Amino acid sequence: MLVENRFDSRDALIEALREHCEERLAMGVDKTGRASFLVSGGSTPKPLYEALSSSDLPWNFIDVALVDERWVDEDHPASNTAFVHTNLLKNAAAHANFVAMKNSSATALDGLAECEDAYQGIGDHFDVCILGMGNDGHTASLFPHAEGLEAGLSGDMRCCAITAKRSEVTGDNVERMSLSVAGILEAKEIILLITGEEKWQTWEAAKSDGAVEDMPIRALLRQTQKPVSVYWAP
Ligand code: 6PG
């Protein structure tokens, strides 16, 4: 269920992935009238979003939604909503419909039902889902041994509220909303975008034996429902 695509350069990776995303999103709109694009934050996908923002796609028929969000307002520097607006939802892609994870509830747990409603509204599947991975083996906001991780791994809702253990990766932003594993598996195309030798070593470690709770990305590589395509460059 794993396809590993290794590129010689980040430019080559981004170009290949841009084309692939364009093709899949256009196909989704052709087939059903709408398509959905689920996107992660982080530094790695930024050039992909920059490139896609100018793609000639029927953006007004495309829903863009987050894979995960820190429970902060949009004017906070850690907001993934702000990140996606700055890097993707501009140029041609400004016409896309953005579905937010963050709502006015005080905590992610309080806001979960409203967020789940919004994500159910996206449709009966997601077209393309871009995941990242941290060197701690988290993906989306499914952080090792986080509060809420069990529901994220085994629940049947698309979204889950997470309180991560504070680490170098999370910084102060421990309170999150995330796609669950069930939510990620609703994507027709699951793409894990990683770069650098250290991430490749993390990926190799994830493929070895060990608890899912230690490296939650393992939940995706051990499932047998959907293929996961890894895109890597040095
Ligand atoms: C977060 C980050 C995180 C990110 C990975 C990869 O919410 O803490 O967005 O989930 O996707 O840590 O980040 P990089 O692409 O910057 O390595």
Side-chain angles (χ1 to χ4, degrees):
M1 297 303 259
L2 294 175
V3 184
E4 292 175 343
N5 304 287
R6 287 167 62 95
F7 293 83
D8 291 337
S9 72
R10 294 186 187 194
D11 284 352
L13 182 162
I14 296 303
E15 185 50 22
L17 200 46
R18 180 186 62 78
E19 273 182 30
H20 187 63
C21 291
E22 281 179 356
E23 193 185 294
R24 292 294 160 154
L25 293 172
M27 195 188 289
V29 176
D30 272 355
K31 278 193 179 155
T32 66
R34 287 200 79 79
S36 52
F37 188 32
L38 280 281
V39 295
S40 293
S43 53
T44 314
K46 209 169 140 173
L48 173 68
Y49 303 156
E50 291 281 350
L52 279 169
S53 74
S54 299
S55 290
D56 183 19
L57 280 166
W59 284 107
N60 45 333
F61 298 109
I62 295 176
D63 296 309
V64 171
L66 290 166
V67 162
D68 67 322
E69 176 64 292
R70 295 93 182 257
W71 206 252
V72 294
D73 288 331
E74 197 178 333
D75 59 2
H76 190 285
S79 164
N80 274 342
T81 297
F83 169 81
V84 166
H85 274 97
T86 304
N87 296 293
L88 175 64
L89 299 172
K90 58 183 180 180
N91 304 321
H95 296 285
N97 174 50
F98 180 69
V99 181
M101 276 192 144
K102 175 73 173 66
N103 52 50
S104 59
S105 299
T107 66
L109 195 56
D110 290 346
L112 178 59
E114 186 179 333
C115 178
E116 179 71 14
D117 261 8
Y119 271 61
Q120 289 292 341
I122 293 173
D124 62 1
H125 67 270
F126 305 134
D127 285 277
V128 179
C129 175
I130 306 282
L131 296 172
M133 182 185 72
N135 284 323
D136 56 356
H138 84 269
T139 192
S141 276
L142 302 172
F143 284 92
H145 302 283
E147 205 177 302
L149 181 63
E150 200 184 323
L153 296 176
S154 337
D156 54 10
M157 288 168 73
R158 287 181 168 181
C159 302
C160 59
I162 293 285
T163 307
K165 290 191 185 302
R166 200 182 185 292
S167 70
E168 269 179 32
V169 181
T170 63
D172 289 336
N173 304 110
V174 294
E175 194 171 354
R176 314 281 187 120
M177 189 70 80
S178 179
L179 280 186
S180 63
V181 170
I184 294 168
L185 293 178
E186 297 215 33
K188 290 189 166 174
E189 193 73 24
I190 302 171
I191 289 162
L192 177 63
L193 170 57
I194 50 174
T195 55
E197 288 301 333
E198 207 182 341
K199 288 269 174 90
W200 188 259
Q201 293 314 317
T202 304
W203 174 243
E204 290 292 342
K207 286 193 284 185
S208 66
D209 292 345
V212 170
E213 291 75 12
D214 291 344
M215 298 185 86
I217 186 84
R218 285 181 172 143
L220 288 176
L221 62 90
R222 291 179 186 175
Q223 54 78 35
T224 53
Q225 290 176 50
K226 288 274 169 74
V228 174
S229 298
V230 182
Y231 279 71
W232 177 87

